[in-house]
Amino acid sequence: MSENYTALYEQHKKAGASFTDFGGWQMPLKYESELAEHHAVRNAAGLFDLSHMGEVWVTGPDAAAFLDYALVGKLSAIADGKAKYSLICNNDGGIIDDLITYRRPSPEEGVDKFLVVPNAGNAAVVAAELLKRAAGFDVVVEDASAETALVAVQGPNAEAILLDLVPAEQHSLVTELKYYAAVEVTIAGDELLLARTGYTGEDGFEIYVPNEDAPSLWEALLEAGEGHGLIPAGLAARDSLRLEAGMPLYGNELTRHVNAYAAGLGPVVALAKEGDFVGKEALAAIKAAGVGSTIGQKLVGLKGAGRRAARGHYSVLKDGSLIGEVTSGQPSPTLGYPVALAYVDVEHSAVGTVVDVDLRGKAEPFEVVPLPFYKRSK
């Protein structure tokens, strides 16, 4: 796999980042301490480079109808300026990717415009799949991933940091921006798309910026955040933060071998929406059969009774028998005990059920608990 570098690679090197390969991209794993970065996001703010994510524009008179066909959700119901979490699935209901779609103000009457944001390793796959599914629809599918950077400011001080960079007359656009919504604002002198979304369980923003403007935006955010406890944060902190928030990671909790109902994402599947969509027949059959609710396996949260953490692919046991597998797990820096996500047999998935996880040959007790593990207070 070829190595890709984001427009902020030099900024990360200068800050002393340790790098790791993620979806073919060289990304900062951490800068000094992943624990410090994690706690900064929970208590102040963290600055993330998410430029490995994809950006696919879908524009045209049929854009809304096309996305209703291509994705499992009812994307035509998104209001201008709002966003929706959805899935793109195979005909058999397997998950190709989970993604966020933003509806942007129409460039002209009768033309709809959407921004679809797939995950890093899936960006090219999703763009190609959307292009293939666009046959017969009056839409233009444009993959802008290569020229677009994405920067996130996450944490309780995120709004205050943005307000230091946005003109006073636009402050209300930031303060009144709701979760899963986006607006064009001037940040550090450039008009950029600002979304109130994130993957940490905290309040925060994601900013879409052309590659050439990303380094100056990064530096401006770091400078504005000096008085607010902002520090750069890498993938290690992002993973521990999203796990505490019970958010699935593609390749761990979500794969082409997993369906929405087993993953606890049944509510995002709009079986009742008008018309056909890719995977509809299979997903309807899966739901009718009770997969993920009465038969098969479902995704659950596990809380460790001891200090040792479960890790991905560790076996989950009940009375010595294999009943599932851990998909993600580690010690929770915020909560002080090990947490994990796992697929387990439905009959052992009820909250309060005690199971064992095979931690390299030793069975350790874990309890099924409600998700998310962590929820911010406001």
Side-chain angles (χ1 to χ4, degrees):
M1 182 180 287
S2 62
E3 287 187 347
N4 297 300
Y5 299 87
T6 77
L8 295 167
Y9 181 73
E10 293 302 323
Q11 275 65 36
H12 304 319
K13 275 208 316 187
K14 187 172 69 173
S18 301
F19 290 89
T20 187
D21 177 89
F22 189 83
W25 291 83
Q26 285 298 302
M27 298 299 295
L29 179 66
K30 64 176 182 176
Y31 295 85
E32 292 182 12
S33 160
E34 61 262 48
L35 275 178
E37 293 163 25
H38 179 108
H39 289 305
V41 174
R42 287 279 178 256
N43 300 305
L47 182 62
F48 296 87
D49 178 10
L50 309 181
S51 303
H52 56 322
M53 301 288 280
E55 292 85 18
V56 182
W57 290 96
V58 177
T59 310
D62 292 347
F66 161 65
L67 288 172
D68 277 355
Y69 168 75
L71 309 182
V72 303
K74 189 174 180 180
L75 286 303
S76 59
I78 306 174
D80 276 355
K82 303 297 184 183
K84 192 176 187 69
Y85 177 82
S86 192
L87 305 171
I88 181 168
C89 292
N90 283 328
N91 280 315
D92 65 2
I95 300 171
I96 296 174
D97 201 12
D98 64 328
L99 31 78
I100 296 177
T101 300
Y102 299 88
R103 190 173 199 152
R104 303 305 304 137
S106 301
E108 56 186 277
E109 192 173 344
V111 174
D112 289 321
K113 185 176 184 180
F114 294 85
L115 173 61
V116 180
V117 182
N119 285 297
N122 290 331
V125 173
V126 169
E129 191 63 35
L130 288 174
L131 200 58
K132 183 173 125 184
R133 296 181 185 188
F137 291 93
D138 189 359
V139 294
V140 174
V141 177
E142 178 194 2
D143 185 0
S145 305
E147 58 263 23
T148 308
L150 179 58
V151 174
V153 185
Q154 297 281 301
N157 294 347
E159 183 180 282
I161 293 165
L162 263 295
L163 292 177
D164 283 351
L165 294 172
V166 171
E169 62 270 21
Q170 292 187 347
H171 278 193
S172 62
L173 294 177
V174 177
T175 58
E176 294 172 11
L177 190 64
K178 303 295 186 185
Y179 187 52
Y180 264 64
V183 66
E184 299 273 355
V185 294
T186 302
I187 305 172
D190 293 315
E191 187 173 293
L192 303 171
L193 181 62
L194 176 72
R196 200 160 206 157
T197 46
Y199 195 52
T200 63
E202 296 296 337
D203 185 24
F205 300 87
E206 295 180 329
I207 307 166
Y208 295 85
V209 56
N211 281 343
E212 60 268 24
D213 298 325
S216 59
L217 173 65
W218 182 269
E219 297 296 343
L221 286 164
L222 282 177
E223 185 177 346
E226 280 183 6
H228 299 285
L230 176 75
I231 62 171
L235 288 181
R238 191 162 181 253
D239 194 45
S240 57
L241 290 159
R242 71 92 193 167
L243 177 57
E244 288 182 345
M247 294 177 170
L249 175 65
Y250 195 87
N252 291 37
E253 288 70 45
L254 307 178
T255 72
R256 291 178 185 239
H257 304 293
V258 169
N259 69 79
Y261 297 102
L265 297 175
V268 310
V269 181
L271 288 174
K273 67 180 173 180
E274 189 176 342
D276 193 19
F277 64 88
V278 179
K280 181 177 183 178
E281 188 177 336
L283 287 166
I286 289 166
K287 183 181 181 182
V291 173
S293 58
T294 59
I295 64 170
Q297 293 192 321
K298 69 180 291 187
L299 187 67
V300 300
L302 297 177
K303 173 185 176 181
R307 297 184 62 84
R308 295 182 66 196
R311 302 290 181 178
H313 304 297
Y314 282 16
S315 296
V316 183
L317 313 169
K318 184 68 178 177
D319 300 326
S321 297
L322 180 68
I323 62 162
E325 184 177 273
V326 173
T327 53
S328 299
Q330 61 179 284
S332 164
T334 305
L335 303 173
Y337 50 77
V339 297
L341 294 171
Y343 280 98
V344 302
D345 294 344
V346 168
E347 57 264 39
H348 302 297
S349 65
V351 170
T353 302
V354 176
V355 299
D356 291 317
V357 176
D358 184 346
L359 303 185
R360 295 186 177 179
K362 184 178 180 184
E364 293 281 352
F366 281 72
E367 180 185 349
V368 178
V369 295
L371 291 171
F373 303 106
Y374 165 85
K375 194 169 186 179
R376 65 189 174 100
S377 56
K378 61 174 182 175

